[in-house]
Amino acid sequence: RYTSGPAEHPVLVRFSQDYCALRTSGFLIPLAGVTFVLRLLKYSALYLLLLAVVVQWGLSSAEISFPAAFVSFVAAEGVATLPASGLFGFGAYEGTWGVIFSYLGLKSVPVFSVIFAVHIITQVVALFLSLVGFGWISRPAVDRNRKAQELQ
């Protein structure tokens, strides 16, 4: 009898137990709802950023619909999670956007330049927010060290 397998791996067993506990606790549906709302807000903000970048070519929401942009964002983020997506996701991310936008017929704009600009802006904002968050989290440790030095 075969008794060992992937389903018996301790990590998978722990994951299964945690998932069952989450499902029975009643938090699974609210958690999925919050995740959906956050993703919708994220992609809405990306859409507004995209429109802000392409406005210089005379494009508006009439030429780039939210559903088309949404598909592009989700596909690009899916490809960027692949192990060989490129440095910081650059390359595969822009390529996916470019294929989808080219398929939609956006020939009047330099698609890859637009996508690169949007990606650079999002990366800089994410880096800035990460540094602010790290500074905020580190603040109590700095205050503790300062108080310890004052006591000496």
Side-chain angles (χ1 to χ4, degrees):
R1 172 170 120 89
Y2 181 73
T3 59
S4 178
E8 297 175 10
H9 192 278
V11 172
L12 295 177
V13 170
R14 178 62 191 208
F15 176 79
S16 177
Q17 291 169 346
D18 290 346
Y19 175 76
C20 288
L22 180 64
R23 189 175 64 191
T24 57
S25 71
F27 285 114
L28 186 60
I29 299 298
L31 181 63
V34 168
T35 301
F36 177 77
V37 168
L38 287 174
R39 288 290 175 174
L40 189 61
L41 289 172
K42 175 185 178 176
Y43 295 133
S44 297
L46 271 173
Y47 180 63
L48 292 175
L49 177 61
L50 174 66
L51 291 179
V53 171
V54 299
V55 73
Q56 64 183 335
W57 286 282
L59 294 178
S60 67
S61 58
E63 290 84 14
I64 304 174
S65 67
F66 181 75
F70 182 82
V71 169
S72 299
F73 300 148
V74 171
E77 287 205 1
V79 168
T81 62
L82 295 174
S85 66
L87 186 61
F88 298 115
F90 286 99
Y93 188 85
E94 285 79 8
T96 303
W97 270 37
V99 167
I100 293 173
F101 283 161
S102 295
Y103 178 74
L104 294 174
L106 294 176
K107 306 283 188 215
S108 62
V109 298
V111 175
F112 290 100
S113 297
V114 168
I115 297 163
F116 189 74
V118 169
H119 198 191
I120 285 287
I121 292 168
T122 60
Q123 292 295 309
V124 168
V125 169
L127 177 64
F128 173 75
L129 292 175
S130 298
L131 291 173
V132 168
F134 180 73
W136 183 260
I137 289 171
S138 300
R139 189 178 48 84
V142 170
D143 290 342
R144 280 193 307 268
N145 290 341
R146 189 176 304 136
K147 288 178 185 177
Q149 288 176 353
E150 290 173 2
L151 293 174
Q152 293 176 356

